[in-house]
Amino acid sequence: MPSPLCSQLRKAILALSTLVFFFVLQRLCARFSMPSQFPMSVRSTLVRTQVDLQNHTSLEDFPKRIWTTGPLSPMRIKKEDADHVRTWMDQNPEYRYELLTDGGAETYVKDHFLGDSKISDTYLSLSDYIMRADLIRYLALLKDGGVYSDLDVGCLRPIDLWIPPAFKDNTSVVLGIEIDNEMGPNKSKLFELVNWTIMSRRNAPFMRFLVDRVIGNLEKAAARHDTTLFSLQPKRQEVIDVTGPAALTEAAFQYLSERTQTAVNMQTFTKMRRPKLVADILVLPINAFGAGHQVQWSGTDEDGSALVHHYFAGSWKTDHFDGPTEEEKKAAEAKRKEEEDRKIKEEYTKKKAEVERKRKEAKDKEEAQEEERSRKEAEANKKQTQTKTQLSEQGRIVDQGQEQRDQQDKQEQNSAEEQEGGQEQQQQNQHAGQLQEEEQNAETVKVEENVSNPILEQEKQMAIEDLRRINAVRSKTRGKAIKKILDDRKKDAEERRRDAENKKRLARLQKLKAKAKQTEQ
């Protein structure tokens, strides 16, 4: 372990080297004019640098040092991390780049904080590597100042251009925003400051406040788990809350609230579009340090150019995984509900389209059925009309045939009557001839009898009278019999005609019923 005398000697040499560097730079700036090809922002910065050096003001209080933490040896840095380191050197050639390995970090704490046993004992007792990495960055910025940046962060713009000129003299710490859900789609009221990139003066009051706060958080965490700092095995969220960005954010809110005597919280910095200085802490818009964030919305071009880019190549979260955080659970639940809503909406859209399709098919089918029904009704009406016409024609023909048959029957009846009347007349004539002949014979006999016998003449006269009566009775009886026969024949013909008509009407009705049933089917 280095002696205190060696440590003091090293500090003196470092201070002397710094003074020599600033003196040489001052002389060079006084001797040479400003190159015109430099951008106006860079020229303004260089001019202000010259003035600040002459007046011994703020810029010299931001040491030109870049800190980072890494593996046991610089030779073990991954290629992509080496590329990120190169961006810092290219953008800031006048800055000193320092890598604190695990062993180098312990040496740094022993060299600079040996007199503060609480700090040194806490760091040297802590075994969790990610908590040690968080604490050492705060300690390095507290003691020596400069810029701290993780290995997986690349520099996009020179550090000297990070602070607007109007804020330089009053700024001791520069912080950036990592998460501002008031700016993004997830309105979960989550706000966190970045701890992968921090800029600070030497011995800045906030850095001392932050170190004390983090050490208190570590002591509480060990007591909460009833263990020592060496045996403490924190989970991911606990790392974030105890030493990580959540601890930095809460410390900043409390420090600024005490300094300004007002309530400082996420509402003070949310939806920022321009840098904001509160007390001695300058907070940059989310796009300055938050560009490249994989989850949180990180602003737009109108916020200004990004200063750094975080590539999220670290693996500490997998080493400290304790399941999703409450915020991640809420985000996952919101995503799940959004997916469910999307599926429900898609299903509803599909069902609605299917219902519309079926409704249209049913409507088309109904219209087709209605057209078919109308067509069939028209055909049925046409056939029914044709059938009625045919039946009417057949009925007319039948009626004509019946009329002809009735006329024929009537003619036959009249003919029969005439024939019977002629026969009767003939019989009557024959009978009358017979009577006349008998009368003539009787007269002859009478003449003859009158000559011979009067009594016989009288008897003959009586016999002739009787014969006349008998013939009259016979003639009358025969006429009645003939009339009865003719009447019976007429009745029979009438009944046959009625029966025929009834049979035709019945057959006609049966045909109409059969056709009506076929039409209904």
Side-chain angles (χ1 to χ4, degrees), residues 486-517:
L486 295 175
D487 291 339
D488 291 339
R489 287 182 179 177
K490 188 174 181 180
K491 288 180 181 180
D492 291 339
E494 185 68 22
E495 288 178 0
R496 286 195 302 270
R497 186 182 66 79
R498 289 178 181 175
D499 290 340
E501 287 182 355
N502 290 334
K503 288 180 180 180
K504 291 176 182 178
R505 289 174 182 170
L506 182 61
R508 191 184 307 168
L509 291 175
Q510 289 178 350
K511 288 181 180 180
L512 292 175
K513 288 181 179 180
K515 290 183 179 181
K517 287 182 179 181

